[in-house]
Amino acid sequence: METITIALLLLLAVIISGIVSRAIPLPLPRPLFQIALGSVIGLIADWRVTLDPEIFFLLFLPPLLFLDGWRIPREELFKDGETVIELALGLVVFTVVGMGLFIHWMIPSMPLAVAFALAAVVSPTDPIAVSAIAARVPIPDRMMHILEGESLLNDASGLVCLRFAIAAALTGTFSVHDAALNFLWVAFGGITVGTGLTWSVSRAKSWISHRLGEEGGAQILISLLIPFGAYLLAEHLHCSGILAAVAAGLTMGFVESTGELEATTRIRRNTVWDTIQFAANGVIFVLLGEQLPGILASAADTVRLTGHHQPWWLAIYVFAINLGLAALRFLWVWLSFRLTFFRSGKSRQTPNWRIVAAMSFAGVRGAITLAGVLTLPLTMSDGSIFPARDLAIFLAMGVIIVSLIAASLGLPLVLQGLEMPTEDSHVAEIDAARIAAAEAAIAAVERTQHDMADGRSDADLYVAVAARIMESYRARIETRRGSTADGDRGRQMEMIERDLRLAAVRAERMQLFRLVRQRKLGSEPARKLIRELDLMEARYTA
């Protein structure tokens, strides 16, 4: 009963944090409000949520990473694939080595292996936190795609580094050869599991639907189970469950391009996934805030692990680690951009420092860092206490919060007035797709009309209805095949028509509700009519 109550209170906190973030006119992302609200809950409530890292990973990360992989623009990801790989792999290793040595130098009482473990924990950026920042800060599309791709892939490299750092701390030994082989198995094994499972399930689902019909609820449940299945199977094979979930999402985007699902199922599934994303993202940061009071309460004891007695030393260490992370990221991004220019034959061109700074500020830490640091073992192999565990947890928590605040405040300043390279607006691509779709629709209407009217005495009725439908498609084609001026005027007319239709739909719906209140329309027919209007409004507001 207590567990259910806590879960419901966490969901309520997510709702309240959303209301507060909209009510307070500050350019801060919602996760900061959720962390603050979680801290308030941790202070006034007499219960504590004990975070089991394995359960935390299993409940939250597979569905969220699966959804990010599913919805990320694949063409944009592959277009900047080299840059993404350089950030997701090279930057993580560079950060682990550089920050591990820096942390051990700054805090000599922290063993080198533990310092590397902390560096591995704070090295990966978080896709959930990056998306939350983008909701308030207008990040350019291409930069956002690179950040999303990086954060989706660097979790595995960071957590593999963490695994080896913990093993080195427990055994006192480390093998570069074994680490490299294990990384290849973890990475490629996870990708193979996620891709193979998703493709197999999708083929089986399609085969069953073709023979027995489609059941919408089952289709939605299958999409919910795929990320968990991929994660659990990969972990069972000692591969990366996180990469398996990401690969499953990317594969889902490819297999769904067949368009076999019914429209109503697709709409309902999108709604379910949007709700899961909203709730899970919020609960993660509320939980993070709920842990803060307990961690701060032990700050006096934690700081003694560093050889100091004043708690403000912990704040200095947190800011120093964040500055170190930003400096290493700035350097690596600059080198990565220089390498990109060199490969494209522009060796004399230098990267814009503001773009590099924006990429550095956007390196936000979040749920991966929180869950990763909690996986540090409590004891060593001989039963003694794992060294500096509480200190590592405190510093990781501080890095998460400071990185969120820094990105929220720094990104708008860096991006303000920044002239980015012109990005493809996809207008021509969309127009060509609409023309092709309209031509296919006209052909289908003609063919279906002939089949339906064949041998009927009222065939002229079918011809008239078909002509009316095809006329609307021909108007769409003419609008988009004209000159640029005609196309712009046609799109402006479509916007005007959209606004007028929305006004009409909303007026229809209000009148229906009025009739229901006056007992002139029953609830069942009202529900059917309102659903029709809701779908029509969703079409024009999408």
Side-chain angles (χ1 to χ4, degrees):
M1 197 68 180
E2 182 182 2
T3 302
I4 296 175
T5 303
I6 291 174
L8 294 176
L9 287 174
L10 289 172
L11 293 174
L12 179 61
V14 172
I15 297 171
I16 295 174
S17 67
I19 297 172
V20 173
S21 67
R22 294 194 302 271
I24 297 178
L26 292 176
L28 297 176
R30 184 174 297 175
L32 285 178
F33 292 98
Q34 291 164 343
I35 292 172
L37 185 58
S39 301
V40 172
I41 294 173
L43 284 172
I44 64 176
D46 59 353
W47 49 265
R48 288 288 181 271
V49 178
T50 303
L51 290 181
D52 184 325
E54 292 187 0
I55 295 178
F56 185 89
F57 267 67
L58 176 61
L59 283 181
F60 293 104
L61 297 189
L64 292 175
L65 295 176
F66 172 81
L67 186 61
D68 285 336
W70 189 358
R71 291 183 173 177
I72 192 172
R74 296 183 299 279
E75 298 80 7
E76 303 295 335
L77 178 63
F78 294 141
K79 181 172 69 176
D80 294 304
E82 293 179 346
T83 302
V84 170
I85 295 298
E86 289 166 5
L87 294 173
L89 296 180
L91 178 56
V92 167
V93 175
F94 183 59
T95 301
V96 170
V97 174
M99 288 306 301
L101 295 173
F102 175 70
I103 292 171
H104 180 63
W105 170 82
M106 184 172 60
I107 312 175
S109 58
M110 179 179 285
L112 183 60
V114 179
F116 278 124
L118 176 58
V121 161
V122 299
S123 61
T125 55
D126 188 80
I128 302 163
V130 171
S131 299
I133 293 291
R136 283 291 184 99
V137 179
I139 299 177
D141 289 342
R142 188 171 184 183
M143 183 184 296
M144 191 63 202
H145 295 151
I146 293 174
L147 291 170
E148 287 177 336
E150 174 202 1
S151 58
L152 281 173
L153 300 178
N154 64 11
D155 304 331
S157 50
L159 293 176
V160 169
C161 292
L162 172 63
R163 178 185 300 180
F164 289 117
I166 293 175
L170 294 175
T171 64
T173 60
F174 176 74
S175 169
V176 175
H177 178 265
D178 292 343
L181 291 178
N182 189 274
F183 177 79
L184 291 176
W185 168 253
V186 166
F188 288 104
I191 293 172
T192 302
V193 168
T195 303
L197 179 71
T198 306
W199 186 86
S200 301
V201 170
S202 298
R203 291 302 93 202
K205 175 170 63 77
S206 176
W207 185 85
I208 293 173
S209 297
H210 281 153
R211 284 155 180 78
L212 303 178
E214 179 180 307
E215 187 176 359
Q219 298 286 340
I220 296 172
L221 280 176
I222 289 171
S223 72
L224 294 175
L225 290 174
I226 285 175
F228 294 104
Y231 181 90
L232 289 171
L233 180 57
E235 290 294 319
H236 179 71
L237 298 174
H238 304 290
C239 303
S240 172
I242 289 176
L243 266 183
V246 173
L250 290 170
T251 307
M252 193 73 169
F254 282 107
V255 299
E256 286 287 301
S257 61
T258 57
E260 294 177 348
L261 277 184
E262 293 181 359
T264 53
T265 300
R266 192 176 295 109
I267 293 171
R268 289 163 57 195
R269 187 181 63 183
N270 286 338
T271 303
V272 169
W273 272 105
D274 287 341
T275 304
I276 290 174
Q277 184 181 41
F278 174 79
N281 281 347
V283 168
I284 285 174
F285 289 102
V286 172
L287 280 174
L288 191 158
E290 192 272 337
Q291 304 290 306
L292 275 181
I295 294 174
L296 292 175
S298 61
D301 296 329
T302 303
V303 74
R304 293 191 183 95
L305 299 172
T306 68
H308 300 284
H309 298 281
Q310 296 83 6
W312 48 264
W313 274 100
L314 294 175
I316 293 176
Y317 292 144
V318 167
F319 280 104
I321 292 173
N322 272 281
L323 288 175
L325 289 169
L328 291 178
R329 185 173 177 85
F330 186 95
L331 176 60
W332 186 270
V333 170
W334 189 87
L335 291 173
S336 178
F337 282 4
R338 284 285 295 169
L339 183 60
T340 300
F341 290 147
F342 179 78
R343 285 195 298 257
S344 60
K346 304 175 183 178
S347 56
R348 294 186 178 181
Q349 186 173 347
T350 57
N352 186 320
W353 73 267
R354 291 176 65 186
I355 296 178
V356 178
M359 290 287 290
S360 303
F361 272 117
V364 185
R365 274 67 187 179
I368 301 293
T369 296
L370 171 64
V373 76
L374 291 175
T375 61
L376 293 177
L378 295 172
T379 60
M380 300 287 286
S381 301
D382 58 2
S384 59
I385 297 177
F386 191 85
R389 184 179 189 271
D390 292 341
L391 176 60
I393 292 175
F394 184 97
L395 295 177
M397 286 278 199
V399 167
I400 293 172
I401 295 172
V402 172
S403 68
L404 278 168
I405 295 174
S408 303
L409 300 178
L411 271 176
L413 295 176
V414 174
L415 293 174
Q416 185 176 10
L418 178 63
E419 293 185 4
M420 297 290 294
T422 304
E423 296 182 0
D424 187 4
S425 63
H426 301 293
V427 172
E429 182 181 355
I430 293 173
D431 283 347
R434 289 187 182 276
I435 290 173
E439 290 173 342
I442 290 173
V445 169
E446 288 180 335
R447 184 172 57 254
T448 306
Q449 174 254 314
H450 285 304
D451 294 339
M452 295 175 66
D454 186 29
R456 296 184 62 94
S457 59
D458 55 352
D460 57 332
L461 182 62
Y462 288 85
V463 173
V465 174
R468 189 173 62 187
I469 295 174
M470 289 188 290
E471 184 60 32
S472 64
Y473 283 109
R474 291 193 179 101
R476 179 193 299 180
I477 294 173
E478 291 173 4
T479 299
R480 285 167 172 77
R481 275 187 174 161
S483 63
T484 303
D486 292 338
D488 292 340
R489 180 174 176 80
R491 276 185 283 273
Q492 184 180 6
M493 292 177 63
E494 285 183 351
M495 292 296 294
I496 295 172
E497 180 183 356
R498 188 197 69 134
D499 293 340
L500 293 175
R501 286 188 179 276
L502 284 175
V505 166
R506 288 162 183 165
E508 283 188 76
R509 186 167 49 233
M510 291 305 299
Q511 180 60 28
L512 291 176
F513 281 125
R514 194 175 296 115
L515 293 174
V516 171
R517 291 194 299 270
Q518 295 171 355
R519 306 291 178 88
K520 295 180 179 179
L521 179 65
S523 58
E524 185 62 30
R527 193 176 298 115
K528 180 178 182 297
L529 293 173
I530 290 169
R531 173 174 169 75
E532 292 176 0
L533 294 175
D534 289 343
L535 291 174
M536 191 178 299
E537 182 175 357
R539 172 193 173 190
Y540 290 112
T541 56

